[in-house]
Amino acid sequence: MNKINLLDKNSNFNILLAGIIGLFIGVGVARFSYTSLLPSMLADNTLSLTFSGILASVNYVGYLSGSIFAIFIKDINTKVKYFRLGIVLCILTTIIMGVTTNEVLWLFGRVIAGFGAAMALVVGAAIVMTKLNFEDKTKAMGIYFSGIGGALASSDIISRSVLSFSSWQTSWIVLTFCAVLLAFYPLYILSFDKEISHKNEKHPFNKALFSPFVVILIVAYFTEGVGFVIQGTFLPTILKSIEGLESVAGLSWLLVGLAGIPSSIIWMRLAHKYGSVNIIIIAMSLQIVGILIPTVTSNMYLNLFSGILYGATFVGLVALFMNLGGKLAGKNPVMLMGALTTAYGIGQVTAPLYAVSLTNLTGNYNYALYLTAAIVLFGVIILLIAKKVSANSHI
């Protein structure tokens, strides 16, 4: 029996483990701990609802800028450098949330946290995909993207555990400490040996990749960015605003993470069998149902199921779109991954702003959820049209 060497940079197991830890730091801690902690931050009047939406939006601005930047990172050594920078930025900006309530510092921190998260996810995914030694990397990338669900669940468990005996400020500090402890592993494993460095290829920006089918895919991912962000920012806060659900609002985000863990593996397997576009359409349709549940019922179980539907679809959809972009891009997966995530990011930037505006105007979240569901439905419709007219629909 072979002895497991956790320091082997070329072990597929180690590459996936390091990538998943990178997702915990970039996605779980730097980005979505905010969702877990937002109800507590709103409850003690540290934040207004309007400013909470602005903070969410600027975080996505940072993520969007990082995604655009990622498209133009042309060689693998540079990708490694920016991945490492992203992990460090994620840690530094998380501690800011715990040690100060200065709004300017928070705005600055959330922008930089978004940029760092894009480096961790977009560039990290490209490094993982490049390093993995499999002929067909679809299933392995499904395992990697399951780390998004694990990142949400684990960061939520940490946040809520600390909240049970202390404040939201302490939660941010403990999350930072956990990220620091784990950061060394992905920083080491997700790099390349010197012998490989001189073989490094550079891939120039290739406009030919952006076929009509790919453009539709990018627009659809924009609508998914909108669909993702309302619940991704406000789900526990939405449930807390519904009479009778105050006590289970926090549980909803844990269920999102837990549902997300197996979802990307399951969706990727289904995509392998039935085609990515077909499965993306099904997942987005289910997401629409989840978005609308809080607008039609105050039933506790159905609203918790809304969280499960959200986690089970959004994590899988990230994996499906990113993997499909990687496959269509061939030797330079970060190019289409970056373009897709840029579209996703534009959706994320706009959605919290209209959500807060509509909620302040109407006194509840229903109209924000209606509009979000309509936008995701548009994404489903254009993908159905693309599937009928494109030779790529079997992918």
PDB file of all heavy atoms in Angstrom, residues 44 66 156 164 235 345 372:
ATOM      1  N   ASP A  44     -28.136  44.747  15.581  1.00  0.00           N
ATOM      2  CA  ASP A  44     -27.643  45.707  16.579  1.00  0.00           C
ATOM      3  C   ASP A  44     -27.406  47.104  15.985  1.00  0.00           C
ATOM      4  O   ASP A  44     -26.732  47.945  16.569  1.00  0.00           O
ATOM      5  CB  ASP A  44     -26.379  45.178  17.280  1.00  0.00           C
ATOM      6  CG  ASP A  44     -25.152  45.160  16.366  1.00  0.00           C
ATOM      7  OD1 ASP A  44     -25.265  45.574  15.192  1.00  0.00           O
ATOM      8  OD2 ASP A  44     -24.077  44.734  16.834  1.00  0.00           O
ATOM      9  N   GLY A  66     -11.783  41.459 -10.505  1.00  0.00           N
ATOM     10  CA  GLY A  66     -10.849  40.331 -10.465  1.00  0.00           C
ATOM     11  C   GLY A  66     -11.088  39.343 -11.587  1.00  0.00           C
ATOM     12  O   GLY A  66     -10.141  38.811 -12.179  1.00  0.00           O
ATOM     13  N   ASP A 156     -20.170  28.944   7.914  1.00  0.00           N
ATOM     14  CA  ASP A 156     -21.400  29.237   8.652  1.00  0.00           C
ATOM     15  C   ASP A 156     -21.391  28.584  10.033  1.00  0.00           C
ATOM     16  O   ASP A 156     -21.794  29.205  11.022  1.00  0.00           O
ATOM     17  CB  ASP A 156     -22.617  28.763   7.865  1.00  0.00           C
ATOM     18  CG  ASP A 156     -23.927  29.074   8.580  1.00  0.00           C
ATOM     19  OD1 ASP A 156     -24.257  30.277   8.686  1.00  0.00           O
ATOM     20  OD2 ASP A 156     -24.595  28.150   9.044  1.00  0.00           O
ATOM     21  N   SER A 164     -22.979  32.080  19.220  1.00  0.00           N
ATOM     22  CA  SER A 164     -23.715  31.498  20.354  1.00  0.00           C
ATOM     23  C   SER A 164     -23.168  31.947  21.703  1.00  0.00           C
ATOM     24  O   SER A 164     -23.852  31.874  22.714  1.00  0.00           O
ATOM     25  CB  SER A 164     -23.704  29.961  20.269  1.00  0.00           C
ATOM     26  OG  SER A 164     -22.392  29.469  20.476  1.00  0.00           O
ATOM     27  N   LEU A 235     -30.659  35.670   2.116  1.00  0.00           N
ATOM     28  CA  LEU A 235     -31.573  34.573   2.477  1.00  0.00           C
ATOM     29  C   LEU A 235     -31.904  34.520   3.971  1.00  0.00           C
ATOM     30  O   LEU A 235     -33.079  34.538   4.341  1.00  0.00           O
ATOM     31  CB  LEU A 235     -31.040  33.220   1.989  1.00  0.00           C
ATOM     32  CG  LEU A 235     -31.930  32.019   2.336  1.00  0.00           C
ATOM     33  CD1 LEU A 235     -33.301  32.130   1.661  1.00  0.00           C
ATOM     34  CD2 LEU A 235     -31.261  30.708   1.936  1.00  0.00           C
ATOM     35  N   GLY A 345     -20.558  38.379 -12.420  1.00  0.00           N
ATOM     36  CA  GLY A 345     -20.247  39.489 -11.525  1.00  0.00           C
ATOM     37  C   GLY A 345     -21.102  40.717 -11.789  1.00  0.00           C
ATOM     38  O   GLY A 345     -21.536  41.395 -10.854  1.00  0.00           O
ATOM     39  N   THR A 372     -36.089  38.943  -9.702  1.00  0.00           N
ATOM     40  CA  THR A 372     -34.970  38.000  -9.828  1.00  0.00           C
ATOM     41  C   THR A 372     -35.397  36.737 -10.564  1.00  0.00           C
ATOM     42  O   THR A 372     -34.703  36.260 -11.473  1.00  0.00           O
ATOM     43  CB  THR A 372     -34.440  37.638  -8.422  1.00  0.00           C
ATOM     44  OG1 THR A 372     -34.059  38.837  -7.752  1.00  0.00           O
ATOM     45  CG2 THR A 372     -33.251  36.705  -8.515  1.00  0.00           C
TER      46      THR A 372
END
